[in-house]
Amino acid sequence: MKEAGVYFVANDRIIDLAIAFLNSFRSYNPEIPLCLIPFRDDVGKLKSLKDKYVFSIFDDEVVLNKCDEISLHFHETITGHYRKLACWQGPFERFIYIDVDMIVLKDIRFAFDILEKYDFITSCSDIAEAEKWVWKESVYSTGALSREQVSYAANTGFIVSRKGLIPLDTLMKRVIEAKSLKDHMELYCVEQPLLNYLIVTSGIRYTSLWNLLDSDDYPQNYIEYWAGNGKRGLVNGMNTMHKNKPREIFLVHWAGVWQLKRAEVKLFILLNLFRLRKRIWTTSLFMPLRRLWRRYRYLKLTTKA
């Protein structure tokens, strides 16, 4: 059993995202234990990288199959996004989960210290314009959740928590409860509504780094930055402004902006037809801050973690 570590979910289809993430993570966090949770079974290429980046692979088939089963309660086909739930069943007593469409720009051990006072910590929450990515407006009419619980509406790309706080033996009961709100969930964001429900109805302490800004509990005051804002939100290199104060960025997140555009798919078909390109690129050529992402995708790490 390991005291603290970091999980990420990926498979070979998004290996370019995974490599950029791994290069950035190991640049700033060379010693923190790291564990891959397979998004699907196709992780052969990723397995070949585990010695270079020093990560283990979560292989408890009972847990992974249960996560896949849960996904079918909300979607017509199995989706590996729900395998994030394996974090609470894994080897780390304290853990951080990070989405693989991020790059990490800081030592993240500070996040473990916040678990002294809170049980679930996300990066961003309680942002009015982000609520639409978790809940539909109709959820208020159900009375199932308080306004405070709904407005939490956390981005679940970065989660800090502890093993066992979402136990496997009671998880299905909680899932059935959450399923009653399925029609009020924004399932475009896949597992995000369910995770929010599990957190805000847990009866234990939850918060976000966003809410802890300028508090004694979070002296670092780092900010997660959405790449969709492009360069216009950046000041002095990799800082941004919030509440009229410069904030250092510790994560850049390409959620919703790294995927291929329809025009790019059509372009590939044309290039392939004339035998000018055999494989389609895995991230959009027009993704914002692509130069920053490419810096880490093609970074040559000089030392092992």
Side-chain angles (χ1 to χ4, degrees), residues 204-222:
I204 52 182
R205 305 163 299 177
Y206 61 89
T207 188
S208 69
L209 300 181
W210 183 268
N211 287 341
L212 294 176
L213 286 172
D214 299 317
S215 73
D216 292 339
D217 293 334
Y218 186 35
Q220 294 82 8
N221 288 317
Y222 296 149

Side-chain angles (χ1 to χ4, degrees), residues 20-187:
F21 162 77
L22 288 165
N23 277 329
S24 70
F25 181 83
R26 282 306 184 206
S27 293
Y28 295 93
N29 300 273
E31 297 179 355
I32 297 179
L34 188 60
C35 180
L36 164 67
I37 299 174
F39 183 85
R40 294 192 182 95
D41 294 335
D42 56 329
V43 290
K45 294 178 182 178
L46 279 170
K47 283 183 178 180
S48 70
L49 301 175
K50 71 178 209 174
D51 290 338
K52 177 179 181 179
Y53 295 106
V54 191
F55 62 84
S56 59
I57 300 175
F58 186 93
D59 59 1
D60 189 325
E61 292 296 327
V62 172
V63 173
L64 295 177
N65 289 339
K66 178 64 70 174
C67 294
D68 291 345
E69 180 185 345
I70 289 169
S71 75
L72 292 174
H73 284 270
F74 300 93
H75 305 273
E76 293 183 357
T77 58
I78 290 174
T79 171
H81 300 79
Y82 288 81
R83 290 188 170 189
K84 285 185 186 182
L85 290 164
C87 294
W88 284 273
Q89 326 302 327
F92 304 131
E93 287 294 332
R94 297 178 297 154
F95 69 82
I96 299 170
Y97 168 82
I98 306 177
D99 269 356
V100 79
D101 57 356
M102 294 188 180
I103 58 169
V104 181
L105 299 173
K106 299 289 183 184
D107 183 333
I108 61 170
R109 287 177 293 182
F110 71 87
F112 291 120
D113 296 334
I114 305 175
L115 283 174
E116 295 296 322
K117 290 189 177 181
Y118 299 94
D119 302 299
F120 298 99
I121 306 135
T122 56
S123 178
C124 300
S125 75
D126 297 279
I127 301 172
E129 56 267 32
E131 191 175 303
K132 64 184 178 181
W133 302 115
V134 181
W135 301 108
K136 298 176 181 177
E137 185 69 23
S138 59
V139 72
Y140 287 105
S141 66
T142 68
L145 298 173
S146 69
R147 184 165 291 274
E148 179 184 358
Q149 289 173 318
V150 173
S151 63
Y152 180 66
N155 179 322
T156 54
F158 180 90
I159 305 170
V160 191
S161 191
R162 285 193 297 273
K163 179 183 175 74
L165 293 185
I166 300 179
L168 191 64
D169 58 352
T170 61
L171 182 54
M172 191 54 68
K173 179 182 177 182
R174 303 286 313 286
V175 167
I176 297 304
E177 293 172 0
K179 190 176 179 181
S180 67
L181 295 175
K182 177 180 176 180
D183 292 341
H184 310 286
M185 294 177 169
E186 183 43 78
L187 292 174

